[in-house]
Amino acid sequence: MLHYLASFIVYTLAMVGILILGFVVYKKTVVSTPARKNSFLKIVDVLHLPDRKSIYLINCKNEQFLIASSNENICLLSKIDSKKEYVEKYLKEKETVKEKTQDKQVIRSLLKELSDRNKLKRDNY
């Protein structure tokens, strides 16, 4: 009886090892689609919000866009002029500050400034 139990354990471990080895070989040999290195779209930053919502800062041919996404839809919040001083301020703070909570505060302040600017534009019309 002990002999059968020992044989079962040895063969089971051998099969698990073969499966793991096969998985490793598969992952090493399968050629995944390489990302385009010269892509003109680049995600500069992302802020994940509750309920699977996110805000993205996207760079496209030296223009920046602020985009919001959720499970149901994606919408453009604003086109950002990269020469504006608040964007430069944000990018400088992004380089120096690495903590997530401070990154969220910087993005929120950027969003507030954009919102105020858009509100002023709407009031002027």
Side-chain angles (χ1 to χ4, degrees), residues 1-96:
M1 176 75 173
L2 187 59
H3 173 66
Y4 293 116
L5 184 60
S7 296
F8 174 76
I9 291 172
V10 168
Y11 290 126
T12 303
L13 291 175
M15 290 306 294
V16 169
I18 289 172
L19 288 173
I20 291 173
L21 181 65
F23 179 74
V24 169
V25 169
Y26 173 77
K27 292 298 271 184
K28 295 274 184 188
T29 58
V30 170
V31 178
S32 62
T33 57
R36 295 187 324 222
K37 292 181 181 178
N38 296 327
S39 176
F40 62 91
L41 285 177
K42 182 180 176 186
I43 296 176
V44 177
D45 199 12
V46 63
L47 173 65
H48 297 288
L49 302 171
D51 299 328
R52 300 183 73 182
K53 296 178 183 175
S54 300
I55 298 175
Y56 295 92
L57 181 61
I58 296 177
N59 191 6
C60 176
K61 291 186 178 179
N62 297 327
E63 294 181 333
Q64 293 184 335
F65 300 94
L66 202 59
I67 296 176
S69 73
S70 67
N71 287 343
E72 295 82 30
N73 97 41
I74 297 173
C75 67
L76 175 67
L77 296 177
S78 177
K79 179 181 174 184
I80 300 172
D81 186 6
S82 62
K83 294 180 182 175
K84 297 288 183 186
E85 96 181 18
Y86 58 83
V87 174
E88 292 172 2
K89 176 182 143 187
Y90 165 74
L91 292 175
K92 285 179 186 176
E93 288 182 20
K94 178 66 180 161
E95 290 174 1
T96 59

